């Protein structure tokens, strides 16, 4: 749950709705136009940089899932510290 909530908060600047007048606004902040204002561009850049955090966590979990069976097969528990 934590990973999903952090990721969706980070990606919120990319979640835009199209209106009948042809403009796109952010789903969370309907007064904020998507892709047309400097503030939205800044939010997208911050979101892109912030994605490093959940992606690093995800990569670490995948790495542990890959090495865990081999370490346990040989009884190597030193790496758990």
């Amino acid at each position: 749950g934590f990973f999903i909530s952090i990721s969706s908060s980070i990606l919120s600047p990319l979640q835009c709705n199209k209106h009948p007048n042809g403009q796109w606004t952010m789903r969370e902040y309907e007064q904020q136009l998507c892709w047309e204002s400097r503030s939205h561009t800044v939010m997208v850049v911050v979101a892109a940089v912030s994605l490093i955090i959940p992606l690093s966590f995800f990569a670490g979990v995948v790495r542990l899932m890959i090495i865990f069976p081999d370490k346990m097969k040989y009884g190597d528990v030193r790496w758990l510290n």
Side-chain angles (χ1 to χ4, degrees), residues 24-42:
W24 291 80
T25 60
M26 285 181 57
R27 185 179 299 164
E28 248 180 78
Y29 305 103
E30 292 184 0
Q31 72 278 7
Q32 180 65 53
L33 294 175
C34 291
W35 314 113
E36 294 183 17
S37 66
R38 179 168 167 73
S39 60
H40 183 259
T41 304
V42 169

Side-chain angles (χ1 to χ4, degrees), residues 62-81:
V62 169
R63 180 180 173 271
L64 286 175
M65 289 174 56
I66 291 170
I67 67 171
F68 183 76
D70 286 337
K71 295 289 187 179
M72 291 296 101
K73 182 169 47 175
Y74 297 112
D76 183 9
V77 293
R78 289 180 301 150
W79 68 280
L80 292 173
N81 293 333

